[in-house]
Amino acid sequence: MFLLTKRISMGLPLAWLLLGLLHLPWLLPVPAALMLGFLTWRHRHILAQVGTAPLASDGFAKHVMVDDLLRLAGQVLLSPLLYLLGASFAVTP
């Protein structure tokens, strides 16, 4: 599950570049919103396993969530730049 999160996180900049290439600024918040939904689901999944799984604890769940939210916040701060970079490469008819 944690490797999947890193792979999805690495795909977010590519999504913003693609949105820039397609000139779709109204879709700019969608990749981050989908990632936030996935992180929320994963946080609840970890909390549901507290007491049964060896690594699951409240502190571990909070640590993972804060780490992922900080990474997402940094990527969201860069998303307008990535969008503009993609838009600059777009071919206009």
Side-chain angles (χ1 to χ4, degrees), residues 18-77:
L18 180 65
L19 290 175
L21 284 171
L22 298 175
H23 293 290
L24 297 171
W26 57 278
L27 288 178
L28 200 56
V30 171
L34 291 174
M35 183 66 175
L36 184 61
F38 174 74
L39 292 177
T40 303
W41 171 81
R42 190 182 71 168
H43 179 71
R44 290 178 183 254
H45 182 70
I46 292 172
L47 286 178
Q49 292 181 345
V50 170
T52 58
L55 290 177
S57 70
D58 290 335
F60 175 73
K62 289 176 187 176
H63 168 73
V64 170
M65 188 66 165
V66 168
D67 183 48
D68 288 334
L69 286 177
L70 287 174
R71 184 179 300 122
L72 180 61
Q75 289 177 334
V76 167
L77 287 174

